[in-house]
Amino acid sequence: MQETYTVYLIETRPVDAASEGTNPVPDSLWRRYSEFELLRNYLLVTYPFLVVPPLPEKRAEFVWHKLSADNMDPDFVERRRVGLENFLLRVASHPDLSSDKIFYSFLTEADSRLKALNATFRVKNPDKRFAEMKHYGDELQSVISQLLRVRARAADRLYGVYKVHGNYGRVFSEWSAIEKEMGDGLQSAGHHMDAYAASVDDILEEEEHYADQLKEYLFYADALRAVCRKHELTQYELEMAAQDLTSKKQQREELATGTIRTFSLKGVTSKLFGQETPEQREAKLKMLETQIEEGEELVKERNAECEEFVKSAWVDIERFKEQKDHDLREALISYAIMQISMCKKGIQVWNNAKECFSKM
């Protein structure tokens, strides 16, 4: 059996060509959705302090009954194409991600290779801000998921309401055939109902556009949590380095004083085989001093990495918040305007029908 999948054509042109007024033949290559996933996973690992733009859904979700859940459905493939294009544009416009060499090769070289990595750790002293942001990402995903489910149910019912108006149109048209004086009015009213019923497909297609905008931030919530997980890893590495340093210092103190504070294999062997010679103790002390110096440097490095991560990540999180607030505000306002327009259209249809009936 052969595998069937969709590929997407990516075309790029140099920016300086547009400024020079030339129109060169664009570079082009084909990419599968899975390659976009590899690119995004690479960006997540390489830029853990940035909120990496999300990909559109891999499979059809939150669809109302008239839309196909088939991944090869032309409408779904087109919506996903728009989402993938938006992902590339988001990355290309990002102040840091846009200059990445792997991203450039993804756009220009057909044989570019990427590897995906993932890790998560539980830390002892989590940063409250990142813990709250991770919780916010969970809540944002939950709220948008609920909103998309409600919208899908509303779309199902709306589709039924519109199509019922098609039945009005059919009944009025049939009725007009047996009425002499009222026939024209009934026929006209039927035409208005038919036109209203037929407009539902365009309206729900427009609704899908707004739903796709919400889905983008459904996946952005994953990107936000990924930044928080990377901070956990950075904090975990710092805590492990500090814990190892504390252990080495305790061993040095025990060797220097000859006391064993905690149960250990060293304490048991000392009782069984006798104490170490001064020369052995001195050699171990020197080795521990070297390890402690190295451990202190490692803790400083880990602490600096953690501080730099927090600084860089929080700058991009603030940028993401502004982008999110703007995008979702515009999407919700546009969706509300569309709903108002749709309701006005329904009122206008019945006003037209009323005029038709009054002329009978």
Side-chain angles (χ1 to χ4, degrees):
M1 296 180 64
Q2 294 183 342
E3 181 184 9
T4 302
Y5 54 85
T6 304
V7 292
Y8 298 89
L9 177 65
I10 301 176
E11 294 185 343
T12 55
R13 288 184 177 88
V15 176
D16 53 3
S19 60
E20 295 172 359
T22 60
N23 189 25
V25 177
D27 294 326
S28 61
L29 48 76
W30 297 90
R31 293 290 187 199
R32 296 177 58 177
Y33 182 91
S34 58
E35 293 178 283
F36 281 87
E37 287 183 308
L38 289 175
L39 172 63
R40 185 169 185 274
N41 284 330
Y42 159 77
L43 294 175
L44 287 172
V45 172
T46 308
Y47 302 93
F49 47 84
L50 300 181
V51 183
V52 179
L55 292 171
E57 58 190 341
K58 188 171 186 176
R59 296 175 179 80
E61 297 178 355
F62 307 109
V63 298
W64 55 289
H65 80 280
K66 188 175 181 293
L67 294 179
S68 173
D70 182 7
N71 292 342
M72 305 303 292
D73 178 74
D75 291 335
F76 172 73
V77 171
E78 172 60 19
R79 291 200 308 276
R80 191 165 66 176
R81 182 200 66 78
V82 172
L84 292 173
E85 181 179 13
N86 193 42
F87 165 75
L88 292 178
L89 292 174
R90 295 271 195 189
V91 175
S93 62
H94 194 283
D96 296 318
L97 300 178
S98 58
S99 58
D100 184 86
K101 293 181 179 179
I102 296 296
F103 174 60
Y104 178 78
S105 68
F106 180 85
L107 298 175
T108 57
E109 300 175 13
D111 60 346
S112 64
R113 299 179 181 275
L114 300 167
K115 294 183 179 181
L117 300 172
N118 189 25
T120 181
F121 294 89
R122 185 176 298 276
V123 297
K124 296 179 180 178
N125 301 303
D127 188 308
K128 184 179 179 181
R129 293 176 301 171
F130 283 91
E132 290 176 349
M133 187 55 60
K134 187 177 181 181
H135 178 69
Y136 171 76
D138 293 335
E139 293 296 315
L140 179 64
Q141 187 173 53
S142 175
V143 168
I144 293 180
S145 295
Q146 293 178 41
L147 183 59
L148 287 168
R149 291 189 184 96
V150 171
R151 190 211 68 89
R153 290 197 298 269
D156 277 334
R157 296 182 182 181
L158 182 64
Y159 182 78
V161 169
Y162 268 70
K163 289 308 180 184
V164 164
H165 282 74
N167 293 335
Y168 276 127
R170 177 180 56 78
V171 171
F172 286 150
S173 296
E174 291 176 355
W175 192 2
S176 68
I178 62 174
E179 297 288 351
K180 293 182 179 180
E181 295 181 359
M182 298 193 304
D184 291 342
L186 290 170
Q187 186 71 31
S188 297
H191 288 323
H192 287 300
M193 298 297 170
D194 288 337
Y196 183 64
S199 67
V200 68
D201 294 324
D202 291 336
I203 290 174
L204 291 179
E205 183 63 31
E206 186 178 358
E207 273 210 359
E208 284 302 309
H209 169 70
Y210 296 118
D212 287 340
Q213 290 180 319
L214 291 175
K215 287 177 185 177
E216 183 183 22
Y217 278 92
L218 182 69
F219 304 130
Y220 254 127
D222 277 335
L224 198 60
R225 291 201 301 269
V227 174
C228 296
R229 286 197 299 270
K230 179 57 180 179
H231 175 262
E232 289 177 354
L233 171 58
T234 307
Q235 180 69 24
Y236 176 82
E237 291 175 342
L238 171 60
E239 291 180 357
M240 290 299 100
Q243 180 178 318
D244 184 63
L245 177 61
T246 301
S247 176
K248 290 290 191 300
K249 288 182 176 180
Q250 182 178 329
Q251 291 177 38
R252 180 183 63 181
E253 183 181 350
E254 290 174 353
L255 272 175
T257 60
T259 58
I260 307 297
R261 294 187 177 183
T262 58
F263 175 82
S264 66
L265 180 61
K266 180 179 181 298
V268 174
T269 54
S270 296
K271 290 182 179 180
L272 291 175
F273 303 106
Q275 295 292 330
E276 297 171 322
T277 65
E279 291 79 10
Q280 290 175 324
R281 186 180 300 110
E282 185 65 25
K284 287 187 177 182
L285 277 172
K286 288 183 178 179
M287 183 178 66
L288 280 172
E289 288 292 348
T290 301
Q291 292 176 345
I292 288 171
E293 289 178 4
E294 293 173 351
E296 288 174 341
E297 287 298 318
L298 181 60
V299 169
K300 288 181 182 178
E301 290 177 9
R302 293 282 185 257
N303 192 54
E305 288 175 4
C306 194
E307 290 178 354
E308 180 61 27
F309 178 92
V310 171
K311 179 181 176 181
S312 301
W314 213 251
V315 168
D316 201 59
I317 286 174
E318 291 299 325
R319 180 199 62 81
F320 163 74
K321 286 180 180 178
E322 292 181 7
Q323 170 192 300
K324 170 187 65 70
D325 292 347
H326 174 270
D327 290 351
L328 290 181
R329 180 170 57 249
E330 292 298 317
L332 292 172
I333 289 174
S334 298
Y335 185 72
I337 292 173
M338 187 204 73
Q339 295 291 334
I340 293 170
S341 176
M342 179 182 64
C343 293
K344 287 181 177 178
K345 183 180 291 187
I347 294 172
Q348 185 60 46
V349 164
W350 281 105
N351 280 332
N352 292 338
K354 183 181 73 172
E355 292 179 6
C356 294
F357 297 151
S358 64
K359 295 176 180 179
M360 293 191 302

